[in-house]
């Protein structure tokens, strides 16, 4: 699709929507508990209800990156890309049961801060640095690339770097105006719009392709299968149950960008309900994004890049008015996603680096430091955007590959610290260092030099196991950790037993364990249908 001319009605709707977004940010800031307090700026005053958390998590995960990446990967390789999504519904109950209670009781700003209390300053600094690194290479650069895919169709004469500059600047201004509270409020609204828009696009796409039977008969059978054989080059089942779970564990349990929303919960129960609600919403991506991506093979059989699928569908199928609303929501979610990522990374820089060297800084100075960090991150992410298209044929494949190589060491050390009382600082250091060296070796050997023939999901499992074993052996060979690094920060069977007793008096619809089992059952049914 070389270019597309929006109607004046759609143009007015887009402009009005974006102006309303800025107005809402100002109102959210004015309504915050104290916008000049660091905790209110970075964690929204810890006042978010479960439904806001659920929609914000869904919007954070189903952003422009997901709306571009998931249909694009489905178009190129089939619906097996949804495996990354439903894997999250298996990890979220684990997070709600064991990880979130520990975070909230620790009263921390960041995940790295938690790792410092469990291990040492080294573990905190490592994870902060990794998260900032991934924020630039994956999260923000990916969002800028996704926005560029759509806007280059609407504005074919504008270069990608120019689009990236405008989007990053808008996100920075939006964040500075409203802080995290504004991001979460707008994400909740956009999640509803994107859900409704996604349903409309999915229905129109299936109809345009001739219906479900025409899709099943017209596309390769492998494109409609979630579980693929071990020989599959894109999503082998062995990589799914190993590397896929590791990526999911990192993404939902140790990724500041996602965890920060649940740290903003008004209570433990609201955090749990919100996380499980987000898991339920995530299942919808199969029907809203993946299946339409496959159906697009019958509508646009020869697109230049798979990532052009979603923009091509909405610009071709949606009527005037609805098109404007969906494009506006799409652009708004790019801005809020970028703002959320910049906020999470600037929180890490401010709380884990700046405050470390200047512990007496006032709240105003901390917020000012965070805003300066946002500007620097904006520049770095804009510079990296051109590299995405050069490394992979699909945005989603690029993102999963980057995570597979670099997050397993953190997942291993975090997992050991959460469930094994004997894990200590020496073990964490060796696990992180050895795992990182192996990550670099695999990344260069597989992705750059092409001298190692191993799928990136399988590489993730190897890196994870090496890091975990190194952590365990070193911990056993050195002194046990101090009691204060274990008792409040590691899973306790006694705590689980006390909670079990308390849950007996809770109605079933408020019992997160029953809700977790129900979520897993629904997920299993969906996977079985498309196995």
């Amino acid at each position: 699709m070389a270019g597309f001319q929006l109607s004046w009605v759609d143009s007015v709707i887009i402009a009005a929507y974006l102006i309303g977004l800025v107005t809402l940010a100002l109102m959210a800031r004015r309504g915050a508990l104290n916008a000049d307090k660091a905790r209110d700026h970075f964690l929204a005053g810890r006042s978010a209800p479960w439904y806001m958390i659920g929609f914000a998590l869904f919007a954070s995960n189903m952003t422009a990156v997901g709306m571009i990446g998931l249909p694009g990967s489905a178009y190129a390789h089939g619906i097996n890309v949804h495996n990354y999504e439903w894997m999250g519904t298996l990890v979220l109950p684990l997070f709600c049961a064991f990880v979130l209670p520990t975070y909230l009781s620790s009263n921390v700003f960041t995940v790295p801060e938690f790792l410092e209390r469990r291990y040492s300053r080294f573990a905190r600094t490592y994870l902060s640095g990794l998260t900032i690194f991934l924020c630039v290479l994956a999260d923000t650069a990916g969002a800028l690339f996704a926005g560029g895919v759509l806007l280059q169709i609407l504005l074919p004469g504008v270069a990608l770097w120019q689009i990236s500059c405008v989007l990053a600047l808008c996100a920075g201004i939006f964040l500075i105006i409203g802080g995290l509270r504004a991001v979460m409020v707008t994400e909740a609204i956009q999640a509803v719009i994107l859900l409704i828009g996604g349903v409309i696009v999915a229905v129109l796409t299936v109809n345009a392709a001739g219906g479900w039977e025409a899709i099943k008969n017209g596309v390769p059978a492998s494109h409609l299968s979630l579980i693929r054989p071990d020989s599959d080059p894109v999503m082998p089942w062995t990589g799914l149950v190993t590397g896929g779970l590791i990526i999911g564990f990192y993404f939902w349990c140790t990724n500041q960008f996602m965890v920060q929303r649940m740290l903003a919960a008004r209570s433990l129960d609201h955090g749990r309900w919100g996380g499980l609600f987000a898991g339920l919403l995530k299942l919808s991506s199969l029907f809203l994004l993946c299946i339409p991506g496959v159906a697009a093979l019958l509508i646009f059989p020869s697109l230049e890049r798979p990532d052009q699928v979603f923009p091509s569908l909405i610009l071709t199928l949606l009527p005037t008015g609805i098109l404007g609303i969906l494009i506006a929501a799409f652009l708004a979610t790019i801005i809020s996603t970028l703002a959320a990522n910049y906020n999470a990374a600037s929180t890490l820089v401010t709380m884990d680096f700046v405050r470390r060297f200047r512990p007496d800084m006032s709240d105003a100075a901390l917020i000012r430091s965070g805003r300066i960090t946002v500007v620097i991150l904006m520049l770095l992410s804009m510079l990296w955007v051109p590299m995405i298209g050069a490394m992979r044929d699909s945005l989603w494949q690029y993102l999963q590959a980057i995570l597979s190589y670099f997050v397993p060491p953190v997942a291993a050390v975090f997992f050991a610290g959460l469930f094994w009382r004997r894990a200590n600082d020496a073990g964490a250091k060796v696990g992180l260092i050895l795992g990182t060296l192996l990550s670099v070796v695999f990344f260069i050997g597989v992705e750059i030099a092409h001298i190692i023939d191993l799928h990136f999901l399988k590489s993730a499992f190897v890196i994870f196991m090496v890091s975990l074993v190194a952590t365990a052996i070193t911990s056993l060979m050195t002194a046990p950790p101090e009691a204060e690094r274990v008792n409040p920060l590691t899973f306790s069977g006694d705590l689980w037993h006390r909670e079990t007793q308390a849950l007996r008096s809770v109605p079933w619809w408020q019992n997160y364990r029953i809700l977790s089992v129900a979520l897993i059952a629904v997920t299993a049914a969906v996977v079985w249908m498309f196995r």
Side-chain angles (χ1 to χ4, degrees), residues 157-176:
V158 182
L160 181 61
W161 71 269
Q162 294 172 319
I163 295 173
S164 300
C165 287
V166 173
L167 290 175
L169 182 62
C170 291
I173 294 173
F174 181 68
L175 177 59
I176 290 172

Side-chain angles (χ1 to χ4, degrees), residues 197-247:
V199 171
I200 295 173
V201 173
V203 171
L204 293 178
T205 301
V206 171
N207 288 338
W212 178 239
E213 289 299 322
I215 295 172
K216 289 197 297 183
N217 297 327
V219 304
S222 61
H223 270 56
L224 293 175
S225 173
L226 285 174
I227 309 302
R228 306 298 302 144
D230 181 57
S231 59
D232 189 83
V234 177
M235 181 68 70
W237 73 266
T238 49
L240 171 64
V241 300
T242 54
L245 277 174
I246 292 168
I247 294 175

Side-chain angles (χ1 to χ4, degrees), residues 12 26 71 87 106 139 166 193 255 261 286 292 317 343 387 397 427 448 454 460 468 490 502 512-513:
V12 170
L26 291 170
M87 273 291 175
S106 301
D139 300 321
V166 173
I193 296 175
N255 180 8
R261 280 147 182 74
L286 172 62
L317 300 178
N343 184 75
M387 295 298 296
Q397 287 291 101
I448 299 178
L454 190 65
L468 188 63
T490 305
Y512 82 94
R513 294 185 187 176

